Amino acid sequence: MIRKEYRVVGIVQGVGFRPFVDRIAKKNGCTGTVCNKGPYVEIHVQASKEQVAAFRKDLEALAPSRSAILKIEEKTLPVQEERNFQILHSQKVKGDIFVSPDIAICPDCQRELFDPSNRRYLHPFINCTACGPRLTILDSMPYDRVRTSMKDFPMCPSCEKEYTSITSRRYHAQPVCCNDCGPELYLVGQDVHGKDALRQTRQTIVQGGIVAIKGIGGFHLCCDATNPKVVQRLRTIKNRPFKPFAVMVRNMEVARREAEIRDGQEEVLDGYQKPILLLKKKAGKIVPEVAPDNPNIGLILPYAPVQLLLFDYPDEIDMPDCLVMTSANPKGAPICRTDQDVIENLSDICDLVLSNNRPIRLRADDSVLSWFDHQPMMIRRSRGYAPLPFMMHKKGDSVVLGIGGELKNTFCLAAKDLYYPSPYIGDLSDIRSVQALKEAIERMEELLEMRAELIVCDMHPAYQSRQLAYELGRPVLECQHHYAHILSCMAEHQIDQEVIGISFDGTGYGLDGTIWGGEFFICDTHTFKRVGSLEPFEQVGGDLSSKEGWRNAVSILDKEDWQGLDLCFQDQAELILQCKAMKINTVTSTSAGRYFDAVSAILGLRKVNTCEAEASMVLQFAAESYQGKALDVPISMQEADFFILPMKALCTFLAQAKKSGEDIACLAYTFHVVLAHWICEGALQASRQTQSKMVVLSGGVMQNVLLLKLCKEELEAQGFTVLTHKLSSSNDGGIGLGQAYYGMENIRRTKVCVSDYPQK
Ligand code: ZN
Ligand code: ZN
Ligand code: FE
């Protein structure tokens, strides 16, 4: 007889881990205990040596699919007098905390949901140990019902019985409930509940209405994606002419009808995270208004029971099998979480609000993935992924908060070797998002039981995120924006040696007070040297120049080249040239994003962005539609210690070619090819100043999969190792991770600022 203690560290909370341990202990004839300690699960088992060995084997081999075991520590204990195996009450101890992300409804629950003989038939909150909300309903750890927003719903005797019965799928499933004891659907502002509320919602959608529906991490705006009129109405009232809407499809069959689904994409689409996946659109039933001028479509499968019921319910209503499902938020503000949020912000947009009385504690938008090089590529990391940590093999010795950037804010809390990215917060130009950021930091610090000793922020003097960093009253370290982009990719790949970092991006504050955004660095985790950039140009007109690409085109090109391109009226152009000459509202910029905007305008594709990156996306789509070879461009890049990519000459070439009637798609493609070639050339020039043959590609522009592909191929052909983003985001959503990595690597080496908010 022997007795062992196993400490299992990882995502072992709220995934049915203790019931699983209980089952395999009994199966292998072991006595002992299992206890949820918060940071880990502690197991004591006692049996013959062979039985314990069999138990140990099962522990790893048969662990629930949603768990993630990071390590198992083992200890031998003295044998005790004992008769059975027991699950003990949770005991909180200090240590690393792993909070489970929310998990999409599992196939078993899906089956029960539509089984008339099941007592949870059509129950909109059905869940089990393998599925259901986690992070978004959690108050504190360890994960037990009393510490979730389910604490207001005492279990009925039948649920209680399942909850305590070892043979049940809901043994110790914290959010367990049923039609008798669970939360309830209702229509906001009306006395309509339960199945009537659902029926009326379905009716409204079929009749061409727009409804707000409370999901797992917030509200969605939903309408029939096969009805052009309602989709157009949604566009008009949201003032969103271009930005594509995500579409929830009834099932995988419908997904295959609407989009090309290739190698491995089905698995990601149908995985238990259920993200939005960007796919090639097919001619299906989804109307073009859902994603105008866009060859791609973001599809998502239902992941909350209420969403399944939207599609299928035993009433006489014939629902469409594709629904627009877009985050319900006022422009720029975070996703609506409470009824109050919706009433205040969206009452004039939607015809109906389907809510429920299970509170959402922490917002989580749907995650968005793109596809690159046979693998998923993160665009927005939120529900289903957050707060799954990135684990480093290197241990820091403090707690650091990377507070994130200004757009697409996501922060990252890091302790020792674990980096926990927050769910998506939003754009901080909106004060409500700043408030949401503040709340989310507090909640995450509470949940993970850590308090950051150091906060890392961007250097931009006008950023709200920077101001908040100083307001929190802890030591602050500033990290340059594009360097943070590179660091985020290095963190994901656990790299700390010197690399060539290429950061192509929209806008970021440079060390010299100009706008950066097309940068070549030689850097490690401590410092960076800027060795090259795109050719600087004068960005005229402040914020307008980020929205209206034609302004940059006028500023970049000579008069004889922009004339005849129909970019703007003569007097508009004159004004820009005057401001440029007198340096009024003008800033020097190397932003790649702005060059993409300018080229899009020059080629007559898009003069204005109605949403972020619209002009560059349209430029990319045009290039991707081209089947031939790129034009020969007779411009070469000079060699220098600090090299410049000759963008003005390239823009001039494109303008002249456009005027002489060259094919637009060919020119768009040529622009991509030349840029990628120069990026590779830049890497070669940089590599003369470093031993490193490793290139890191980051920044928002690197979400352009055509550019990314062209760069990667050419760089690899030149013998470089190329690192790109996969599970972290290359846009500003990844900044927090990079900042946290910087803080952790430098907290003991760098003098940090503890003063008040410094004005620049
Ligand atoms: Zn389930
Ligand atoms: Zn019940
Ligand atoms: Fe950026």
Side-chain angles (χ1 to χ4, degrees), residues 483 487 490 495-496 523-527 741-742 745-746:
Y483 179 40
L487 284 162
M490 291 171 73
I495 298 293
D496 58 5
C523 56
D524 56 21
T525 54
H526 304 301
T527 186
Y741 193 33
Y742 180 67
E745 289 276 298
N746 294 287

Side-chain angles (χ1 to χ4, degrees), residues 119-120 123 145 154-160 162 176-182:
R119 63 183 202 89
R120 288 190 184 80
H123 180 48
R145 193 183 188 92
M155 279 180 271
C156 69
S158 308
C159 285
E160 178 100 49
E162 288 178 79
V176 70
C177 57
C178 70
N179 285 310
D180 296 330
C181 65

Side-chain angles (χ1 to χ4, degrees), residues 254-502:
V254 179
R256 270 193 231 102
R257 185 190 76 205
E258 298 294 329
E260 280 174 33
I261 296 176
R262 289 171 293 133
D263 55 333
Q265 287 177 329
E266 179 168 330
E267 226 166 277
V268 172
L269 197 58
D270 201 20
Y272 54 84
Q273 294 94 349
K274 294 279 189 300
I276 295 169
L277 185 61
L278 304 181
L279 298 159
K280 274 259 162 313
K281 194 157 67 182
K282 286 208 301 217
K285 289 190 182 164
I286 298 174
V287 296
E289 284 81 357
V290 167
D293 298 333
N294 198 322
N296 304 322
I297 183 90
L299 296 187
I300 183 168
L301 289 168
Y303 55 86
V306 66
Q307 295 161 349
L308 286 163
L309 297 175
L310 273 185
F311 285 107
D312 292 293
Y313 203 73
D315 55 21
E316 73 291 355
I317 301 164
D318 189 20
M319 282 295 281
D321 50 17
C322 303
L323 298 174
V324 166
M325 217 31 110
T326 183
S327 298
N329 58 313
K331 205 168 190 168
I335 187 168
C336 293
R337 178 173 65 102
T338 62
D339 292 358
Q340 201 53 35
D341 286 348
V342 180
I343 294 166
E344 277 169 22
N345 298 302
L346 300 168
S347 347
D348 49 336
I349 293 187
C350 46
D351 305 308
L352 198 80
V353 182
L354 179 65
S355 185
N356 68 67
N357 55 347
R358 182 176 71 194
I360 296 171
R361 299 289 193 223
L362 193 67
R363 292 180 182 86
D365 283 74
D366 294 325
S367 294
V368 183
L369 296 170
S370 174
W371 202 259
F372 176 69
D373 212 10
H374 310 287
Q375 283 179 68
M377 180 171 83
M378 191 63 74
I379 303 286
R380 179 168 78 196
R381 191 179 201 275
S382 202
R383 182 190 49 75
Y385 295 90
L388 218 61
F390 290 97
M391 198 174 188
M392 307 279 169
H393 41 58
K394 203 158 114 183
K395 254 193 174 132
D397 59 353
S398 54
V399 180
V400 175
L401 167 66
I403 202 161
E406 198 72 349
L407 298 174
K408 307 185 184 65
N409 180 278
T410 306
F411 62 90
C412 176
L413 265 170
K416 293 185 276 186
D417 50 350
L418 295 164
Y419 288 65
Y420 303 85
S422 75
Y424 179 81
I425 307 289
D427 293 350
L428 301 185
S429 51
D430 191 298
I431 195 71
R432 287 165 291 194
S433 301
V434 180
Q435 190 54 36
L437 169 61
K438 222 190 262 181
E439 286 167 15
I441 291 173
E442 269 169 36
R443 182 153 288 270
M444 286 271 287
E445 283 196 324
E446 231 173 82
L447 276 183
L448 298 169
E449 295 182 345
M450 51 175 82
R451 194 185 140 84
E453 301 164 49
L454 172 72
I455 301 175
V456 185
C457 67
D458 201 276
M459 305 173 79
H460 200 303
Y463 272 12
Q464 298 287 340
S465 54
R466 176 168 172 271
Q467 182 163 352
L468 179 60
Y470 283 97
E471 274 170 18
L472 290 174
R474 305 177 214 171
V476 174
L477 195 59
E478 297 186 359
C479 179
Q480 201 278 329
H481 186 96
H482 304 101
Y483 179 40
H485 272 304
I486 300 297
L487 284 162
S488 69
C489 192
M490 291 171 73
E492 181 180 350
H493 293 281
Q494 307 200 27
I495 298 293
D496 58 5
Q497 74 255 38
E498 193 165 271
V499 299
I500 298 167
I502 303 178

Side-chain angles (χ1 to χ4, degrees), residues 41 214 260 285 302 698:
V41 166
K214 184 167 167 182
E260 280 174 33
K285 289 190 182 164
S698 188

Side-chain angles (χ1 to χ4, degrees), residues 408-663:
K408 307 185 184 65
N409 180 278
T410 306
F411 62 90
C412 176
L413 265 170
K416 293 185 276 186
D417 50 350
L418 295 164
Y419 288 65
Y420 303 85
S422 75
Y424 179 81
I425 307 289
D427 293 350
L428 301 185
S429 51
D430 191 298
I431 195 71
R432 287 165 291 194
S433 301
V434 180
Q435 190 54 36
L437 169 61
K438 222 190 262 181
E439 286 167 15
I441 291 173
E442 269 169 36
R443 182 153 288 270
M444 286 271 287
E445 283 196 324
E446 231 173 82
L447 276 183
L448 298 169
E449 295 182 345
M450 51 175 82
R451 194 185 140 84
E453 301 164 49
L454 172 72
I455 301 175
V456 185
C457 67
D458 201 276
M459 305 173 79
H460 200 303
Y463 272 12
Q464 298 287 340
S465 54
R466 176 168 172 271
Q467 182 163 352
L468 179 60
Y470 283 97
E471 274 170 18
L472 290 174
R474 305 177 214 171
V476 174
L477 195 59
E478 297 186 359
C479 179
Q480 201 278 329
H481 186 96
H482 304 101
Y483 179 40
H485 272 304
I486 300 297
L487 284 162
S488 69
C489 192
M490 291 171 73
E492 181 180 350
H493 293 281
Q494 307 200 27
I495 298 293
D496 58 5
Q497 74 255 38
E498 193 165 271
V499 299
I500 298 167
I502 303 178
S503 194
F504 270 47
D505 200 31
T507 289
Y509 191 77
L511 288 188
D512 53 6
T514 69
I515 300 282
W516 290 6
E519 311 307 315
F520 294 76
F521 298 141
I522 292 172
C523 56
D524 56 21
T525 54
H526 304 301
T527 186
F528 71 92
K529 182 180 169 204
R530 190 183 187 217
V531 294
S533 79
L534 294 181
E535 185 173 352
F537 73 99
E538 297 305 311
Q539 214 178 297
V540 183
D543 272 353
L544 274 181
S545 60
S546 319
K547 295 204 177 87
E548 306 189 347
W550 64 267
R551 292 172 182 273
N552 300 323
V554 168
S555 172
I556 292 163
L557 295 172
D558 289 334
K559 193 167 177 177
E560 64 269 24
D561 293 316
W562 59 256
Q563 269 178 337
L565 282 176
D566 192 26
L567 289 174
C568 58
F569 295 116
Q570 191 67 28
D571 55 337
Q572 287 179 307
E574 293 302 335
L575 189 63
I576 285 177
L577 295 179
Q578 262 173 35
C579 288
K580 186 177 153 185
M582 298 170 72
K583 295 237 167 233
I584 297 168
N585 206 5
T586 296
V587 56
T588 305
S589 166
T590 54
S591 162
R594 299 299 80 81
Y595 269 112
F596 271 79
D597 290 352
V599 170
S600 194
I602 289 169
L603 298 185
L605 291 164
R606 275 291 190 283
K607 283 190 258 187
V608 173
N609 285 321
T610 61
C611 70
E612 204 206 358
E614 172 176 351
S616 355
M617 274 156 71
V618 174
L619 181 63
Q620 176 196 339
F621 299 151
E624 283 170 342
S625 73
Y626 182 68
Q627 301 294 332
K629 282 183 85 172
L631 294 182
D632 262 337
V633 178
I635 306 163
S636 53
M637 202 172 132
Q638 303 296 309
E639 258 182 59
D641 280 347
F642 188 92
F643 52 88
I644 300 278
L645 278 55
M647 299 300 287
K648 190 182 157 182
L650 179 57
C651 290
T652 306
F653 173 88
L654 295 169
Q656 288 168 354
K658 158 93 185 358
K659 282 194 277 189
S660 60
E662 243 354 299
D663 177 57

